[in-house]
Amino acid sequence: MKMILLGPPAAGKGTQSAYLSEHYNIPAISTGSIIRRNISEGTELGKKAKSYIEAGKLVPDELIIDLVINRLAAEDCKDGFILDGFPRTLPQAEALDKNGINIDKVVEFNVPDEEIIERISGRRSCDSCGAIYHVISNPSKKGNLCEKCGGKLVQRADDTAKTVRSRLEVYHKETKPVSGYYKEKGNLVTVDGGRRSVEETSVAMWKALGVER
Ligand code: AMP
């Protein structure tokens, strides 16, 4: 199963990708997490990407496309993968085709902009395993610590009120056309993730995918 998750920031892609990864037993690959790791490790990619990510802009295609194509060639992707955060532009989607990577399903999560702005301010993630929480709708039972690994819960540097507006603008302009690209190919399913709990969104996602749970 080769899958893509589309949707605005904080639409639930990261959370649902963990469930999909467990169900299909394939890796969930988040380009945002890969870039953040490169920034914290101070790699060349990290140095080049930092200013873009902090401004809520997209990292240029030439920095991200080869990285993803190489990642998908790894042994753990032989039975499939879930891409969370890629492709975010039409050239990125075309790069998958050009490299013979045929996608089976594209799931798009739709959440209204006003709700995204509310969600972003409460989002927290574990600085150790990357698990995602929300202070109100999905709090950790261990307070400021991750339920799964005990790591510290932190707010992402780009989850600010100022940056989210730029990220939403970029989403509508650059990423929304990607869903039209897959709609035309006939492998797009949409899930309404607005005003829904994590569990309700999961139920809608499995239904859209035709998976009995
Ligand atoms: P995310 O964790 O998916 O919300 O991504 C955080 C940030 O990483 C984005 O706002 C972009 O700056 C950058 N990023 C992640 N994936 C991509 C991509 N496919 N193309 C360009 N920039 C990306």
Side-chain angles (χ1 to χ4, degrees):
M1 177 58 105
K2 297 185 179 118
M3 220 176 201
I4 287 170
L5 305 189
L6 292 177
K13 303 186 296 294
T15 303
Q16 301 298 338
S17 75
Y19 301 149
L20 290 161
S21 169
E22 199 183 344
H23 176 80
Y24 291 110
N25 198 22
I26 50 178
I29 299 166
S30 153
T31 42
S33 301
I34 295 174
I35 298 168
R36 282 187 290 279
R37 196 167 59 237
N38 274 273
I39 293 175
S40 64
E41 288 170 1
T43 67
E44 272 314 301
L45 168 71
K47 283 182 200 149
K48 287 182 186 151
K50 193 168 188 279
S51 61
Y52 295 99
I53 208 169
E54 284 178 355
K57 302 242 163 66
L58 290 185
V59 170
D61 287 340
E62 56 272 26
L63 288 183
I64 198 92
I65 289 176
D66 288 351
L67 184 121
V68 172
I69 302 296
N70 289 334
R71 175 67 188 86
L72 299 183
E75 177 63 19
D76 66 337
C77 293
K78 69 177 189 331
D79 294 329
F81 51 78
I82 298 143
L83 279 174
D84 159 13
F86 187 99
R88 262 181 157 101
T89 63
L90 284 174
Q92 292 180 13
E94 287 157 4
L96 292 173
D97 290 340
K98 280 184 200 146
N99 283 277
I101 299 165
N102 297 316
I103 301 300
D104 299 300
K105 281 274 179 224
V106 180
V107 185
E108 180 179 42
F109 296 91
N110 288 318
V111 180
D113 285 7
E114 315 78 67
E115 193 176 337
I116 293 299
I117 293 165
E118 282 169 32
R119 282 188 189 190
I120 290 257
S121 63
R123 178 158 75 172
R124 300 289 180 271
S125 54
C126 173
D127 73 351
S128 176
C129 76
I132 304 159
Y133 298 89
H134 188 278
V135 289
I136 294 164
S137 61
N138 184 26
S140 165
K141 292 190 188 83
K142 290 191 184 163
N144 273 341
L145 300 178
C146 177
E147 275 173 27
K148 299 183 176 86
C149 76
K152 208 168 100 198
L153 299 189
V154 294
Q155 185 170 29
R156 275 169 46 174
D158 61 342
D159 275 357
T160 62
K162 188 165 157 251
T163 312
V164 70
R165 299 218 175 259
S166 160
R167 289 163 71 197
L168 279 169
E169 215 172 280
V170 166
Y171 169 71
H172 288 294
K173 193 161 151 249
E174 312 248 18
T175 309
K176 196 63 197 173
V178 175
S179 76
Y181 181 83
Y182 290 110
K183 192 173 181 190
E184 227 163 77
K185 284 179 181 280
N187 55 3
L188 178 80
V189 295
T190 55
V191 173
D192 180 4
R195 298 280 162 227
R196 279 182 161 171
S197 66
V198 169
E199 290 72 26
E200 286 165 339
T201 303
S202 282
V203 169
M205 174 184 73
W206 294 122
K207 193 167 166 230
L209 288 170
V211 174
E212 295 254 353
R213 300 269 297 174

